Amino acid sequence: MRSNRRPYQGPRTQLVVSVDIGTTFSAASVCILQPGTPPVFEEILRWPKQANPDAKVPTIVYYDSSGKARCFGAETDSPDTMAEVDEEGWIKAEWWKLHLRPDYLPKIDGIEIEIPELPPTRTVDDIFADFLEYVKGQLHVHVTSSHGNGESLWNSLYRNMDVVLTTPNGWEGRHQHRMRQAAMAAGLVNRGTQVKFVTEAEAAIIYTAESGKINDWLVEDEHLLVCDCGGGTVDITGYRIQNVSPLRLEEMSYPRCYLAGGVFVNQAAKIYLKERLHGSEWDDETIIEHAMQSFERNAKRFFGSTDGFMTVELGGSKGDIKRGIIRGRLKIQKADMISFFEPSIQAIIEGLEETLHGGGDVADKIIIGGGLSNSPYVFSQLQKWASKLGLKLSRPGGPVEKAVTSGALSWYLDASVSSRVAKFHYGTNVAIPFDSSDPEVACRESEKYQDILGEWKIDNAWSEIVEKNEKIKTGKEYSAWFHRSFTDDDELTVFMDLYAYRWSHPPRFIKDPGCSVVRDGFLHLCTVEADLTSCYAAAPYSTTHSKKGRRVKYLQYELLILLNETEVHARLRWKPDGPNSRLINGPAKIGYD
């Protein structure tokens, strides 16, 4: 994809790749940034054993009994491979990305989440790393075979290449951290700082805007919603268009994520098939798997609101009139087909309505994309809903469905979103004075302790840094100051836990009295660690804060968080007390659970 961007102004040639690991399909794109040359995006269109050039490849891996990956992607569709799978007893890993899902994503009525188990010897982190190593191999093949000096170009650039990974809206710091670790384990990058993250929905809207398919909708100060109906998740984000050229977007409500994608339509269909075929000669796992492949290729893809029924292939030519099987094909009535789609459709509609209300009901245009939106039935129902509310609905379709990775590269180059909306309340836990006259504090008397100054304290009070739905400015750090007294014998490494609270009003304490786990609604994002040795050395001893003859230093430190990207960044800095105090930025690191 060639854009209208100006020539690259960087000082040296740089390789940037984007990778979209989806629940059902994955894709990758490459951009070689050369000084003085306009950027060109190149999608990977050739994958091993792929029948026809295609940007998408199945997110499937087969493992042998020892846990070794034996085939990936389009290789898993090959008849030769399938023969080997049956002969060797290889184990299939599919939908494995959903094992990384946050446990706080809302449960959707009518959708039973039954994600296939992982191979017994592999974790989701292992499979991520294995699949990214496979993708790395195809990136290498593409660069070396598509450029005249490809081998030397790859060898000179790939060790320092930046990698943009796409994520659903609901993936937070800990999930992104695990993806980053997988990228390092795969040898895709050498350093964690080479990995950036962008949401799939954001990448999709950026590419859609650049494609020219929604030019009439790109009007300054207008609002629109983006709904990415993928294989595993439905992601919805509302934007205000700050500027058209160059494109600048502003989130108008926090992004939402629902486990309601296309795989759950398949899951409902599989449950139905098992019930319909139970006790028959077609009651066989291999036959049902064949029927599901037929459902995915035809019935799911082409079912529309005017169809009275659809059929799936069971194989052979036998029939059973009572079961609705004619010449090896099972007839599925319209009402049953609708039941497979309905929970996901309702989740999409409810999510769109919540996002509309969260943004002040000012948006009247909706861009819908992702594999599930290609369903004629899904799109017709969303059109019907939008029409009733006077909303405009567009499904750009075509190559846009395969171009999230190109949108991710545009995001990397252009930083199109200038401000965001905080999805949660963000803050940390602190100690406060014990006050027996305060009922909410008094009930925690068994938890009180004396600090080094002899004052009675209790831990786990909530200290907010960023309020939910607050508008987040690009590049702005949000912070809060904290203080603590130390003696010469104290450990000078401090740890600050960063939490998010996802509901409306955070409670005063993050834990119930006597409880060791955080309350429902709190999410532990990360722990920021910093060494205050240099701060302690620079600080004078305090007479005000000393007690019982102990030499004490009073230190102040600041927790800063940056939320303007899809990741949460945090750091500590400190200021020793005294007349010559100054801010010191020191080494700090973030640890995830």
Side-chain angles (χ1 to χ4, degrees):
M1 174 186 136
R2 185 178 295 274
S3 72
N4 294 321
R5 290 187 190 85
R6 294 174 298 176
Y8 177 58
Q9 300 299 309
R12 63 182 65 87
T13 302
Q14 169 78 22
L15 175 60
V16 183
V17 304
S18 59
V19 183
D20 174 32
I21 304 296
T23 301
T24 52
F25 290 96
S26 296
S29 290
V30 173
C31 181
I32 299 176
L33 297 171
Q34 297 178 313
T37 302
V40 177
F41 300 164
E42 306 168 22
E43 292 178 332
I44 307 301
L45 297 174
R46 298 186 186 94
W47 299 85
K49 292 197 175 183
Q50 196 173 51
N52 299 297
D54 195 339
K56 284 188 173 182
V57 65
T59 312
I60 297 175
V61 189
Y62 274 98
Y63 290 91
D64 63 20
S65 58
S66 68
K68 180 180 178 181
R70 302 307 298 264
C71 62
F72 299 84
E75 298 168 338
T76 65
D77 283 339
S78 165
D80 294 340
T81 302
M82 288 299 97
E84 205 167 359
V85 166
D86 294 337
E87 183 178 344
E88 300 294 333
W90 293 349
I91 303 168
K92 185 179 185 180
E94 63 176 342
W95 306 2
W96 45 266
K97 174 184 174 181
L98 293 181
H99 283 278
L100 188 61
R101 71 193 187 279
D103 56 10
Y104 52 80
L105 292 182
K107 186 179 182 330
I108 307 301
D109 290 340
I111 293 181
E112 295 296 327
I113 301 175
E114 296 180 8
I115 301 168
E117 293 184 2
L118 300 175
T121 59
R122 307 303 283 170
T123 66
V124 64
D125 305 87
D126 295 331
I127 302 176
F128 250 114
D130 291 339
F131 204 86
L132 287 174
E133 186 174 7
Y134 161 71
V135 171
K136 176 192 172 185
Q138 307 320 305
L139 293 168
H140 173 245
V141 168
H142 175 84
V143 172
T144 56
S145 63
S146 301
H147 296 266
N149 59 339
E151 192 65 48
S152 61
L153 193 65
W154 173 266
N155 289 335
S156 64
L157 297 178
Y158 91 89
R159 289 182 180 85
N160 294 307
M161 72 180 179
D162 280 345
V163 176
V164 183
L165 297 180
T166 65
T167 72
N169 281 346
W171 269 223
E172 294 296 330
R174 68 180 68 182
H175 315 100
Q176 294 163 350
H177 174 71
R178 291 170 68 179
M179 292 174 67
R180 178 179 278 114
Q181 293 296 108
M184 295 175 67
L188 187 61
V189 296
N190 298 311
R191 305 177 304 279
T193 53
Q194 293 173 256
V195 180
K196 314 295 181 184
F197 294 97
V198 63
T199 64
E200 294 153 12
E202 190 166 307
I205 180 57
I206 292 171
Y207 181 87
T208 303
E210 290 192 349
S211 73
K213 291 175 178 286
I214 58 167
N215 283 349
D216 292 343
W217 284 14
L218 297 178
V219 179
E220 192 171 315
D221 286 330
E222 291 288 313
H223 295 73
L224 51 80
L225 303 187
V226 179
C227 179
D228 181 18
C229 307
T233 61
V234 171
D235 296 322
I236 303 173
T237 312
Y239 295 102
R240 182 178 75 86
I241 302 168
Q242 287 184 314
N243 194 68
V244 175
S245 182
L247 181 66
R248 290 290 180 269
L249 303 172
E250 176 186 36
E251 284 185 357
M252 67 179 194
S253 63
Y254 71 85
R256 289 166 168 82
C257 182
Y258 306 90
L259 285 172
V263 298
F264 300 107
V265 176
N266 291 34
Q267 185 171 274
K270 188 171 186 178
I271 293 171
Y272 169 87
L273 288 174
K274 286 183 174 181
E275 293 175 352
R276 280 284 299 273
L277 301 175
H278 180 69
S280 74
E281 62 181 282
W282 295 277
D283 187 2
D284 176 84
E285 189 61 36
T286 301
I287 293 175
I288 290 174
E289 185 66 27
H290 177 76
M292 283 305 303
Q293 291 173 1
S294 173
F295 175 82
E296 174 71 31
R297 287 192 304 265
N298 297 295
K300 177 185 176 184
R301 187 172 300 178
F302 299 114
F303 174 66
S305 57
T306 60
D307 292 308
F309 65 91
M310 300 299 288
T311 64
V312 296
E313 295 180 7
L314 303 179
S317 59
K318 291 184 179 181
D320 183 335
I321 299 299
K322 290 184 179 179
R323 293 182 186 271
I325 302 172
I326 303 173
R327 295 184 179 181
R329 299 187 69 87
L330 174 68
K331 182 185 286 187
I332 305 177
Q333 297 297 332
K334 179 178 183 177
D336 293 317
M337 287 294 300
I338 289 174
S339 71
F340 305 154
F341 289 96
E342 201 59 29
S344 291
I345 291 172
Q346 288 306 309
I348 294 169
I349 289 174
E350 289 174 12
L352 288 169
E353 290 179 345
E354 285 183 5
T355 307
L356 280 168
H357 298 332
D361 292 319
V362 292
D364 65 349
K365 304 177 183 70
I366 301 170
I367 296 169
I368 184 169
L372 186 57
S373 72
N374 287 329
S375 159
Y377 182 72
V378 170
F379 188 62
S380 68
Q381 297 307 297
L382 295 179
Q383 276 187 314
K384 186 184 297 184
W385 164 81
S387 178
K388 287 181 180 178
L389 297 180
L391 303 173
K392 299 174 184 177
L393 187 70
S394 172
R395 181 181 57 182
V400 174
E401 297 305 329
K402 303 175 181 179
V404 167
T405 51
S406 290
L409 290 176
S410 294
W411 170 87
Y412 175 90
L413 292 175
D414 300 338
S416 299
V417 178
S418 62
S419 66
R420 303 182 183 278
V421 173
K423 292 188 287 186
F424 306 114
H425 299 273
Y426 294 91
T428 188
N429 55 320
V430 297
I432 63 172
F434 178 78
D435 181 0
S436 59
S437 65
D438 184 331
E440 198 170 358
V441 173
C443 66
R444 301 169 188 270
E445 185 169 8
S446 62
E447 301 171 23
K448 70 180 182 180
Y449 64 92
Q450 280 185 300
D451 63 14
I452 62 173
L453 301 179
E455 297 175 352
W456 289 99
K457 298 287 185 67
I458 56 171
D459 287 328
N460 298 315
W462 171 246
S463 177
E464 185 160 285
I465 300 174
V466 177
E467 186 177 2
K468 184 176 180 178
N469 292 321
E470 184 174 342
K471 188 173 292 186
I472 306 301
K473 298 297 183 182
T474 298
K476 179 180 178 180
E477 287 183 303
Y478 294 78
S479 66
W481 281 96
F482 303 92
H483 63 269
R484 181 175 160 189
S485 297
F486 294 83
T487 69
D488 292 344
D489 297 326
D490 287 336
E491 170 63 48
L492 294 173
T493 299
V494 298
F495 300 88
M496 296 288 290
D497 290 310
L498 183 63
Y499 290 91
Y501 185 74
R502 65 179 184 269
W503 296 335
S504 297
H505 304 291
R508 190 173 171 189
F509 293 91
I510 69 170
K511 297 178 181 179
D512 287 319
C515 189
S516 61
V517 298
V518 297
R519 286 173 159 172
D520 286 346
F522 282 104
L523 316 171
H524 182 260
L525 298 178
C526 63
T527 301
V528 185
E529 174 186 346
D531 184 352
L532 299 186
T533 300
S534 61
C535 178
Y536 188 81
Y541 287 102
S542 171
T543 55
T544 305
H545 299 98
S546 297
K547 188 164 185 175
K548 298 180 180 178
R550 302 181 71 183
R551 289 159 59 87
V552 174
K553 292 186 177 184
Y554 181 77
L555 305 185
Q556 300 179 70
Y557 48 94
E558 186 179 25
L559 177 62
L560 304 98
I561 60 177
L562 183 67
L563 303 171
N564 64 296
E565 295 185 6
T566 55
E567 293 181 87
V568 175
H569 298 272
R571 66 187 179 95
L572 282 174
R573 65 179 180 179
W574 48 87
K575 181 173 68 173
D577 195 23
N580 298 317
S581 64
R582 59 188 176 88
L583 290 175
I584 302 173
N585 285 295
K589 58 183 179 180
I590 297 179
Y592 293 89
D593 292 337

